Amino acid sequence: MTRKKILGSHVKRLLSGVSDHGRRHLTEVETDLLQTNLLLEEAIEKLTRNFMAIHEAVSAQQATIELLLQGGDPSPEDKARLQEMNEQVSGYVNAAITSMQFQDMTSQLIDRTLKRVTGLREFLGTLGAHGAEVVPESGSDEIVDLLSKVSMALAIQSLELRSVLRKAVSQKHLESGDIELF
């Protein structure tokens, strides 16, 4: 193989590797951001539903409370209904609090996205730093050696970044018994 072909092969491999690395990480960033958006939409929908249910239950209790305030004597059915509604409100509040778990998952996704962006910036910084070492007077052998060093450094950075990133976001489920309301 001639020096020109060897140089062309190294440049092609380097540019292809940088492109693949950048595209892969940007695709993962996009995926994480879309997942974060879905989590937020789902959480807001659940919170809205639970707060509306709390409002309805409290409004239903209001008639019996007004009867009590006016000195009336609630029937056993009214008392049972008040107790049942109180349990419903507690259930809705617990469900609303549990649906706030999105904060933990979105924090994990955002943290992972930031690590990807930082890793990609460092990756490009390494490429730029090594690229600055190439001078117009460099011979083919020097350029091939430099490209080999750059390729090795970038491969190591890529492996290090992959080892830092987790593929899954874990959700900690709260049980209704785990929530204390004051």
Side-chain angles (χ1 to χ4, degrees):
M1 222 185 220
T2 67
R3 287 183 185 177
K4 215 174 198 182
K5 287 184 180 180
I6 291 172
L7 181 60
S9 173
H10 279 280
V11 169
K12 180 180 178 181
R13 186 176 52 207
L14 176 65
L15 293 176
S16 178
V18 169
S19 174
D20 290 345
H21 180 83
R23 261 196 322 245
R24 189 171 46 249
H25 281 286
L26 290 175
T27 298
E28 291 293 331
V29 165
E30 181 181 27
T31 300
D32 286 350
L33 290 173
L34 288 171
Q35 189 175 357
T36 301
N37 190 47
L38 289 173
L39 286 170
L40 289 171
E41 286 177 7
E42 182 181 328
I44 289 169
E45 180 182 311
K46 286 180 182 179
L47 287 169
T48 300
R49 194 174 337 116
N50 283 302
F51 286 126
M52 291 305 295
I54 290 169
H55 173 73
E56 289 172 15
V58 169
S59 294
Q61 289 176 333
Q62 191 62 37
T64 305
I65 291 170
E66 285 178 19
L67 176 67
L68 288 170
L69 289 174
Q70 293 172 1
D73 190 21
S75 68
E77 294 82 25
D78 289 336
K79 291 178 183 178
R81 198 167 16 121
L82 272 177
Q83 180 60 34
E84 182 182 322
M85 285 185 243
N86 185 44
E87 291 169 10
Q88 284 178 345
V89 168
S90 292
Y92 294 137
V93 169
N94 283 336
I97 290 172
T98 300
S99 65
M100 287 186 204
Q101 290 179 18
F102 77 91
Q103 189 276 332
D104 178 55
M105 293 187 325
T106 54
S107 291
Q108 291 177 57
L109 284 167
I110 290 169
D111 183 54
R112 189 169 69 182
T113 300
L114 289 172
K115 285 178 183 174
R116 284 190 186 284
V117 170
T118 300
L120 186 56
R121 183 179 60 239
E122 290 171 1
F123 188 85
L124 294 172
T126 298
L127 183 61
H130 284 287
E133 294 177 25
V134 177
V135 292
E137 299 80 32
S138 298
S140 296
D141 290 338
E142 293 170 316
I143 293 174
V144 168
D145 287 343
L146 181 62
L147 291 175
S148 293
K149 286 184 203 174
V150 171
S151 292
M152 183 60 71
L154 294 177
I156 290 168
Q157 275 186 308
S158 183
L159 288 172
E160 288 172 348
L161 181 59
R162 272 190 247 158
S163 72
V164 169
L165 299 171
R166 291 190 322 242
K167 286 293 179 187
V169 173
S170 62
Q171 179 177 4
K172 298 173 188 164
H173 290 283
L174 298 174
E175 300 297 325
S176 59
D178 295 340
I179 299 169
E180 291 185 46
L181 301 176
F182 299 98

